[in-house]
Amino acid sequence: MELKLGSLISPLGIARLFQILFSCTAFSLVAAHESYHNSYGAWSMFTWCLCFAVSIIVVVVELIGVAESLPLSWQDFTSAFSMLAALMIFTTSIVYPSVFIPGRCRSDGCSYEAAATAMSCFCFVAYAVEVGLTRAKEGEVSSFLASVPGLLKVFEAYVACLIFSLVDFTKSYTRHAGLQWCLAVYCICFIITLLIIILTVGRCLAALPIPLDKTLVGYNLLAVLMYVTAAIVWPIYSFRNFPRPSPCNANTCAEWNNRLGVTFLTFFNLIAYIVDLVYSSKMVFVTTPA
């Protein structure tokens, strides 16, 4: 077995080495100071550890040159993971310092937390660089998940996961049929989008007996229409007879803030599906003259 040392010194390989370094440093600092005692800390540790472990695997697979023999589309997998990792690290880089730094700085200092946050931000930059390096350029024949529509699929699925976490916290969807419809929209679109990602990584999407490109355009159109209804219905039923509490603090405003968070995330995903529809329609129906 011949080692492909060139994979380590390429721009992509260097970005992955930085990902490993920064994620390892981030969770090591937090573990050393035991600053992960609640669910937000557990999420942050999970994110850093997952990204560290998977990046190690990616680097090793690239180094020993066995990617082609794996029963999956390696380029689709690495493109999807780098996008997912960038989103997870970005979220962690915002959530962790906002939860842990204020309290620590008022008591026994927050140098460990601040350093971990800095490493997390650097790690996000490293994953963003990988996304930029592997993204398929316009007119380039590449894997689906390396294209703009493919990267948007990962973004849409991740935002849906964030919505689920906030919706589950509020439990507000149990009170109105309109909110239950919104939850159904989030679930249906998430399941189909996740299925598309899994089938693509597993090299199964192209084997389906359907006109794939036009089917994806049709699904994106349906998702846009469904999210339009959710973007209208969710805020109407969420905030009707439920004004912002006054005074507002971490305890009294928790549910209201989560409802507001779901509202913004719904609009983010609506925009993502619209952009996805535009790009996928352009790829299918707009031909470039030779």
Side-chain angles (χ1 to χ4, degrees):
M1 181 182 298
E2 183 179 356
L3 297 180
K4 296 184 178 181
L5 298 177
S7 65
L8 297 178
I9 59 176
S10 65
L12 187 57
I14 293 172
R16 286 169 175 164
L17 292 177
F18 276 119
Q19 295 163 9
I20 295 171
L21 172 64
F22 293 141
S23 59
C24 179
T25 305
F27 73 70
S28 298
L29 288 168
V30 171
H33 209 224
E34 297 183 354
S35 301
Y36 57 98
H37 52 270
N38 56 26
S39 59
Y40 298 104
W43 160 260
S44 301
M45 285 292 285
F46 169 76
T47 297
W48 293 322
C49 291
L50 174 67
C51 294
F52 170 77
V54 177
S55 291
I56 285 280
I57 294 173
V58 170
V59 168
V60 171
V61 170
E62 293 279 355
L63 180 62
I64 63 180
V66 297
E68 293 78 9
S69 60
L70 296 176
L72 53 81
S73 174
W74 182 250
Q75 188 176 359
D76 280 308
F77 170 76
T78 54
S79 297
F81 172 73
S82 61
M83 183 64 175
L84 176 62
L87 293 170
M88 293 177 68
I89 294 289
F90 177 77
T91 305
T92 300
S93 299
I94 296 175
V95 171
Y96 183 80
S98 65
V99 172
F100 287 92
I101 286 183
R104 290 280 185 171
C105 287
R106 286 194 297 266
S107 56
D108 56 350
C110 55
S111 57
Y112 281 83
E113 291 79 10
T117 300
M119 292 299 103
S120 185
C121 292
F122 292 148
C123 191
F124 162 71
V125 173
Y127 278 109
V129 169
E130 180 178 352
V131 172
L133 290 174
T134 58
R135 184 178 68 84
K137 308 303 185 292
E138 187 171 356
E140 180 180 272
V141 178
S142 184
S143 61
F144 172 70
L145 293 180
S147 64
V148 173
L151 295 174
L152 284 171
K153 288 287 184 290
V154 179
F155 176 84
E156 293 154 5
Y158 181 73
V159 171
C161 289
L162 296 181
I163 291 175
F164 294 145
S165 66
L166 297 179
V167 168
D168 183 66
F169 180 86
T170 64
K171 300 291 185 181
S172 56
Y173 62 89
T174 60
R175 303 188 186 105
H176 300 286
L179 298 183
Q180 293 173 13
W181 160 253
C182 294
L183 185 62
V185 170
Y186 304 143
C187 291
I188 292 171
C189 293
F190 170 74
I191 292 172
I192 297 177
T193 300
L194 183 61
L195 189 61
I196 292 172
I197 295 172
I198 293 174
L199 291 176
T200 302
V201 173
R203 297 176 178 173
C204 301
L205 198 61
L208 297 178
I210 54 176
L212 184 60
D213 294 341
K214 294 182 179 180
T215 300
L216 290 178
V217 172
Y219 162 65
N220 288 332
L221 177 59
L222 178 63
V224 167
L225 295 176
M226 293 176 69
Y227 259 90
V228 166
T229 64
I232 297 172
V233 172
W234 177 269
I236 290 177
Y237 284 98
S238 287
F239 300 109
R240 177 184 290 176
N241 301 323
F242 190 63
R244 187 171 185 266
S246 180
C248 184
N249 54 50
N251 295 322
T252 60
C253 275
E255 182 174 353
W256 192 91
N257 289 338
N258 278 275
R259 294 188 184 197
L260 182 63
V262 173
T263 302
F264 278 107
L265 291 173
T266 300
F267 279 98
F268 289 159
N269 241 5
L270 173 59
I271 294 172
Y273 276 110
I274 291 174
V275 175
D276 195 352
L277 175 62
V278 171
Y279 265 91
S280 57
S281 299
K282 181 180 178 182
M283 293 170 61
V284 173
F285 300 111
V286 178
T287 58
T288 304

